Amino acid sequence: MTANTRAPQQERSRATQQRLLEATVECLVEFGWSGASTTVIAERAGVSRGAQLHHYPTRAALVLAAVEHLSERRAAEIRAEAAALTGDPEDRVEQVIDMLAAAFTGPLYVAALEVWVAARTDLDLKAALIPLEARVGREMHRLTVDLLGADETRPGVRESVQATLDLLRGLGVANLLSDDSHRREQLLAAWKRQLTTAIREP
């Protein structure tokens, strides 16, 4: 097989994987964990069952790859949105918190929650998910620090950034069952003031 022959095959393989990962996220959001079977996902992706098994031999392998994929998508989208933020330091905290809050109430977060809940009782999935989520969590923390322009060498700044992410995750979960926007706005307004104090005051 020549290099010219392998290249199109690799491109087709990557395209198939991309369709499967996108379809997995869509099915998790639309049908939840119980309804997002590999058969449903393959149908949504428009690929054969054999092709799905070739790339991802188990449901766990497919879902974990999708979690990693959606985490990378979330980070890329946040970075793209951050490029449009104003340079005014006084407005930066408010803009970053609003942007992250939107990310933690969007469909990608909903898909991730479906996997987290399933992992509570699926020990194999849990064992594979924990190290992946630990890495994703570190990357999200670093991204937030960068967006805020925060100096983590100062006392309390690292904890304030992590508290921000924990708060947003919790509010995202609360938003699943009912429209929690009014309470969320009040809490975030108070937290923005506290965070600004924590990362800006000498």
Side-chain angles (χ1 to χ4, degrees):
M1 183 182 295
T2 67
N4 289 338
T5 303
R6 283 195 300 271
Q9 288 181 339
Q10 290 172 346
E11 290 174 7
R12 286 195 297 273
S13 178
R14 282 194 295 269
T16 298
Q17 289 175 307
Q18 183 75 13
R19 289 201 302 275
L20 282 166
L21 296 179
E22 295 286 348
T24 301
V25 173
E26 292 173 7
C27 289
L28 285 169
V29 173
E30 187 172 344
F31 306 119
W33 172 259
S34 61
S37 67
T38 52
T39 300
V40 169
I41 292 169
E43 289 176 356
R44 173 66 64 92
V47 304
S48 69
R49 185 87 167 92
Q52 180 258 305
L53 290 171
H54 171 72
H55 291 289
Y56 304 103
T58 66
R59 184 189 189 195
L62 174 56
V63 169
L64 288 170
V67 169
E68 186 168 18
H69 168 69
L70 70 87
S71 299
E72 292 171 353
R73 266 186 58 189
R74 275 192 306 183
E77 289 173 3
I78 290 170
R79 288 190 185 280
E81 291 176 21
L85 297 181
T86 67
D88 187 347
E90 296 302 316
D91 295 335
R92 187 77 176 185
V93 170
E94 181 167 357
Q95 292 173 333
V96 169
I97 295 299
D98 288 343
M99 187 173 59
L100 291 173
F104 280 109
T105 53
L108 299 184
Y109 185 63
V110 173
L113 284 178
E114 287 289 336
V115 180
W116 296 347
V117 172
R120 187 182 70 84
T121 54
D122 186 327
L123 296 183
D124 290 336
L125 180 61
K126 183 177 181 179
L129 184 62
I130 286 175
L132 172 59
E133 282 297 333
R135 178 169 62 80
V136 169
R138 288 193 298 271
E139 292 172 355
M140 182 59 73
H141 183 100
R142 174 49 50 193
L143 173 59
T144 305
V145 169
D146 291 344
L147 294 178
L148 291 170
D151 179 4
E152 286 195 295
T153 64
R154 294 181 52 221
V157 171
R158 178 176 179 79
E159 291 78 8
S160 295
V161 171
Q162 190 57 50
T164 299
L165 293 172
D166 290 344
L167 172 65
L168 293 173
R169 287 190 186 97
L171 291 175
V173 173
N175 194 65
L176 288 177
L177 297 179
S178 62
D179 182 2
D180 202 41
S181 56
H182 179 66
R183 186 175 72 93
R184 185 170 65 247
E185 288 172 5
Q186 290 181 317
L187 287 171
L188 290 180
W191 183 250
K192 288 171 186 176
R193 293 191 293 271
Q194 294 183 49
L195 183 60
T196 299
T197 299
I199 68 176
R200 298 288 181 233
E201 287 192 355

